[in-house]
Structure formats: C-alpha cells, structure tokens
Amino acid sequence: MCGIVGYIGEKSALGILLDGLTNLEYRGYDSAGIAVNVEGKVELYKAEGKLQNLKDLTNEKREHILKSTIGIGHIRWATHGSPTAVNAHPHSCNCGRVAIVHNGIIENYKELRAKLEKQGCTFRSQTDTETVAHLVASKYAQTNNLTEAVRLATKEIEGAYALAVIHQDVKNTIVATRRNAPLLVGIGEGEYYVASDVPAIIKYTKRAMYLDDNQIVTLTSNSMKLIDSDNNELVPKIETLPWEPVALSKMGYKHFMLKEIHEQPDVVRNVLSGKLRASNENIVLNEVKLDKEALKTLNRIQIVACGTSLHAAMVGKYIIEDLCGIPVDVEPSSEYIYRKTVGDKNTLVIGVSQSGETADTITAVRQAKSRGSHVLIVTNRPDSTMAREADSLVPVSAGIEVSVAATKSYMAQVISFYLLAIHIAEIKESASRSELEKIKRELILLPQKLEKTLSHKDEVKTCAKKFANSKDFIFIARGINFPTALEGALKLKEISYINATGYTAGELKHGPIAMLDESMPVLSILMKGKVYDKILSNSEEAKARNARMIALTDSDDTKLDELFECIIRIPEVDEMLSPALAIVSLQLLAYYIAEFLGKDVDQPRNLAKSVTVE
Ligand code: M6R
C-alpha cells in the first residue's frame, strides 16, 4: 500500500516525482504529496484525493518548484488517519526541516508518539508516519548526521516501512531504508532515483539496486553509500531491470483493464514460451529447484495466496490433485499465518502473488520456510521480495499489470499451474502420457481460442447493458470452474460495487436459493464435461424461483435459449482447460457493467493493487 518515489540529481525534480507517482498510482490513490528543497528550504505540497489534485496544486507554483533538483513523493492508501491533506505524506517535524515519506505501518507509533509529545513534539496528523519524522529530527539534533539519525530511528521503530527522508540542513542528500516493504534505487548519470516499484523509474533508468531489509542507503547526486543497521558498509548489488517503459501505455484502450484483458492470448503464449515446446516433449521449468527425488517424495502441497491469486490457486488445486495425485490445501495467506500449520520437508508450499509483495503471503511463505518446507513462488514479479526469498520460482511473465483489478496475471497464474502440474506428473508418472499430451495440445491451442472469445465481446456487452442495474449477482459453477465463479464475482464487486457472490451450484439449494426472485441474476458457468448436466439442473431450479438466468457456455445446444435470458458463448474447450477460457468473458462482463455505471474502472474505490500491509 502506498508508493514512494525520490529523485536527486541535476534535473528539476518536480516532473520526475509526479511522473513516478502517476506510475505508482495503482498502489493507492486517496491523497498524494511531495517535498522539495527550493533555494535551501524544504517545502511540502499535499493534496487530498486523486493525484491530479496534487498536479493542479503544484502547477500553481510550477516555476518556483521547478528550481528544486531534489525531492521525495508519496501516493497514499490510508491505513492510519483518514485520507485528508493533513494526513497525506510527506510528514515533517516541529521545525519543518525534515520531510519523510513512508510505505508500511509503524506498529508502535502510539508509544513513540506519547514519548515524543512528552519531549515537546507537536503532532499535526493522525498518521503513524509522523512519529518517524519527529524521531528522525530528534536523532539528527543529537548526531548532526542524517544517515545516523535514520539508522538510530529505525532501531526504535517496530513494523513495516520503506522510508525516504530529506533534511533542510543536508541539502544534497536523500536517505532511504526498508523493512518488510519494497524499495529500490535507480541509478542514472549523476542522479539517483528511489521508488517502491519499477514503473516509477523505468522511463529514466534500467540500472537499479534493490534494498534488503534493514539496509540504509545514502544518496547524493554523485554518490551512493549502502550500510546495514549496524553501520557496516555493504557493496551494492546493481542489476539491469528487465522491463520496458512501453508496458505502461494504454495503447489506445480506454482503460488499462480492457487493454490487459486483450493481452491475454499473448500472455499465454509468453508463459508457455520455452516451457512447453511441443506436446510430445516434457515441460521445462528451470527455476523449479526440486529435484526428481524430492518431487517424487512430496506428500502434500499447501498453496497460500490472497484475492484473485487465491482463486488461481484454487484452480491449481484441481489440476494438481487430478494430474499428480498429491493432496493440495489452499488457504488465504491471512488465515494461514495465524494458526499452527502442519508441514515438513516433504510438504511443498506454493505462494501465489502477482506482485510478490503482498504482506500476508510473504509472512505465510516465510513461516513455511522456517518450518523446513520448500517454498515455490508463482509470481509476475521475479524481482519481488517473495521471488528473491523463494527456493523455487515459476515466473508468470504477464508483463506489468496496471489496473487494480487483476486479469492477465490471473490468466498467467492459471497457465503456470497447468505447467507445474504437468511437470510434476511427468516426473511422478502419475498421469498417462496420452492424457498429458492432450492437455499440452489444448494449451498450445488456447491463445487462438482466447482471441476468438475476445472477438465476441459484443455479446458480453449486450448482456452487461441488460444487467448493469442489478443490485446483486450470483455466479454458480461446479468442479474446476467453482474458482471461476468466485473470480467472476470478485471482478464484478471490485469495479462495479455490485454485491456478487460465487457459489458451487450444488450448494445453491442449501440456503442461497432463498434470495432468488425476479430481480436476481444468476450466471451459470456451464462448460461441457462431467458436471454439465448437474449445473443445468441447478439452473432449472433457479429459473423455477424466477431468477434472471445468464449462461456462460461452450455448448451450442439451442435448448439453452428457453432457460437463459442471455447466453455468452465461448469456443469449445477441454473441461480441464475451461477455467482459462471462461474467465475472460466474466472479466469483460464486469468491465462493461462498470463502464455502463460510470465507475472508475482502473482505480476502484478503497482498493490498492499491492497490499503491503497485514
Ligand atoms: O499481488 P497479489 O497477487 O499477491 O495480490 C493479491 C490481491 O490483493 C489481489 O489479487 C487483489 O484481490 C486484486 N485487487 C484482484 O483484482
């Protein structure tokens, strides 16, 4: 949650900071601010609401602010204190000489605040972050050294943080540090950047250094010094970022979400590329470091994830249990971390995360690792904290996903589970070669079927228009598409704020059926296969209670026209692969409904893309 950015160099900082914040807006968007040093004086500019408000505010004093060649900026997703301008970052101390931006939560801020107030500090905001500004100022008063002040302050802070700090008396310097929150330094010619994430800086430089927990970096326009929390100097590990700036453009689409939905055929091609070469060849997953013996002796798999990634994990469970015969438990990371979980070295723990920075999932996989389990991460960010700490990796290569509502990363995660399950099955010989070859052939054909699905989007649009004013929505499915129902409902909730729930179709009659009447849409995910007839009869039951029926199906049975008011047809697909195809129409349905309702599709209220707080 929240994004931070910083710049020090020869150029004017303003544009770079605002640009960086624009590309970090997916991390939060309820207020924003910057701190600059204009002619020797630290100045703060903060605005409530969308980043545009800060842009308008700074525009009024543009010529003046442009003089600063140093600055830090912040985009907020409120945790402590409502989203007002006062609570927006940067925060400062009594004398206004320190400015600080923070991503994370200072857990002991109440104790720190009480102590600092006793020492005479006057607090202006309700945030946890302001304590750090006062703390750094007081340590600076004792040491006259900004790096040392930050280092001593972090010794007293409990919780998670990525921090960037400037001080009026130390003109050409930014000090930055992190613990359990992402932070990287971008390296230019005679300039440095600080950011929570790559998109903020990729336009300017591809050379970067990721900070590890408790490291502190001191930047001037022509130097970078890295130390640990005990003041030992460290050698920075500089790497080249594997990202292209073009990934951040909408490419003519109205929203990033729509663009990302349309990227899915290519995403599947990318994920398969080099890993699935031909249906008669074995899957190649070089970053999976479990050797054959370890894979053969695996007796259990636990998958932890949140939100959309959790739904991909649920699809993964079906595939792995089916092809590998290994029992799989799927659990939200936030539950897994607060109970005694059972597992050992024969338990594989898989963390699934688009960002690789979700706090709950990081904690869950760390817990599993300390228990002796092998940790494998399925992530879109091979540069993330989770990926860097993992034993094994399945990089999902969906490209940067900007829209807060995850679409193409879900697709990539689901495809990765097919690859992983086939890989394990090939080693364990737990499924026949002909069955595995059939799935591989279907995977190879999937991008074309996705393209065909996308080319029928007008059907989805028509259906969206019909149902856009519904207050509630029910999605039903069975078997491998139950997670599709959950994900379809989540997409709709996230971007249209319609109350939508996914149920296993068989459960409908055990309670939810009581809600059905002529105002309730029920969308049946009716894919050909083992449970087709069962879902059809569950749909009849719903229709008999006057529900408004919608079908998402790969069947061309014309009899469906009598039962369903609206039918979204997709190409015929093997049942095992159907979640990958079915979800696309549900993403489109959610998108068009949100569009008809005039919602802010890419930045839905109350959400942030990367939830880096517990
Ligand atoms: O980065 P992660 O995949 O770990 O994020 C998990 C969830 O926060 C994320 O999937 C969230 O549910 C999205 N808003 C889904 O659209």
Side-chain angles (χ1 to χ4, degrees), residues 34 43 69 94 136 204 276 312 343 431 436 440-441 467 537 587:
I34 58 165
E43 296 178 359
T69 57
N94 278 18
V136 168
Y204 304 102
L276 167 53
L436 297 178
K440 287 191 266 188
R441 275 197 304 276
F467 289 90
S537 95
Q587 294 165 346

Side-chain angles (χ1 to χ4, degrees), residues 29-221:
Y29 31 79
D30 60 36
S31 55
I34 58 165
V36 286
N37 186 324
V38 182
E39 293 166 343
K41 197 170 174 306
V42 165
E43 296 178 359
L44 308 188
Y45 297 88
K46 315 205 275 187
E48 185 178 329
K50 288 282 171 74
L51 182 61
Q52 188 56 45
N53 298 344
L54 177 69
K55 289 181 178 170
D56 294 342
L57 179 76
T58 51
N59 203 29
E60 287 167 19
K61 293 184 78 180
R62 189 177 154 75
E63 292 313 314
H64 172 76
I65 304 171
L66 278 176
K67 291 179 197 153
S68 178
T69 57
I70 176 173
I72 53 177
H74 188 269
I75 189 104
R76 183 165 186 246
W77 183 84
T79 58
H80 294 67
S82 53
T84 58
V86 173
N87 287 332
H89 301 212
H91 287 285
S92 191
C93 54
N94 278 18
C95 67
R97 301 170 101 78
V98 168
I100 205 157
V101 286
H102 168 222
N103 167 33
I105 291 180
I106 308 300
E107 280 164 9
N108 59 338
Y109 80 99
K110 284 192 180 142
E111 297 83 351
L112 287 173
R113 182 168 174 150
K115 198 168 113 188
L116 289 158
E117 278 175 337
K118 270 195 197 143
Q119 289 167 12
C121 296
T122 308
F123 280 72
R124 300 175 191 95
S125 75
Q126 288 86 50
T127 64
D128 52 331
T129 304
E130 194 181 341
T131 54
V132 187
H134 291 287
L135 196 58
V136 168
S138 97
K139 301 292 177 198
Y140 183 82
Q142 291 160 21
T143 59
N144 217 20
N145 178 318
L146 187 58
T147 307
E148 186 60 0
V150 171
R151 191 180 77 83
L152 294 176
T154 57
K155 298 260 176 206
E156 293 183 27
I157 295 171
E158 287 164 21
Y161 55 78
L163 294 166
V165 186
I166 59 172
H167 195 295
Q168 187 161 297
D169 299 350
V170 196
K171 290 189 189 66
N172 185 22
T173 304
I174 296 178
V175 178
T177 184
R178 66 156 264 176
R179 187 192 295 156
N180 291 332
L183 191 65
L184 78 158
V185 172
I187 302 158
E189 294 297 324
E191 58 186 10
Y192 289 94
Y193 304 80
V194 177
S196 297
D197 199 0
V198 174
I201 60 168
I202 191 67
K203 185 171 157 191
Y204 304 102
T205 182
K206 283 189 145 200
R207 292 182 70 222
M209 176 197 69
Y210 285 91
L211 266 80
D212 284 334
D213 278 351
N214 303 314
Q215 293 182 339
I216 302 165
V217 70
T218 304
L219 305 168
T220 69
S221 54

Side-chain angles (χ1 to χ4, degrees), residues 305-311 333 352-359 361 378-379 386 401 403-407 409 413 487 490-491 494-495 604 607-611:
C306 305
T308 288
S309 297
L310 183 68
H311 299 150
S333 312
V352 189
S353 174
Q354 186 285 127
S355 62
E357 299 294 348
T358 299
T361 308
V378 177
T379 183
M386 269 182 234
E401 189 175 61
S403 177
V404 166
T407 54
S409 62
Q413 290 166 348
E487 177 57 11
L490 178 64
K491 286 287 90 76
E494 281 187 302
I495 61 170
L607 291 178
K609 187 151 189 73
S610 186
V611 187

Side-chain angles (χ1 to χ4, degrees), residues 275-289:
K275 302 186 184 91
L276 167 53
R277 291 182 295 220
S279 59
N280 58 358
E281 284 186 38
N282 279 2
I283 297 289
V284 182
L285 288 178
N286 289 331
E287 288 101 335
V288 174
K289 303 294 179 199

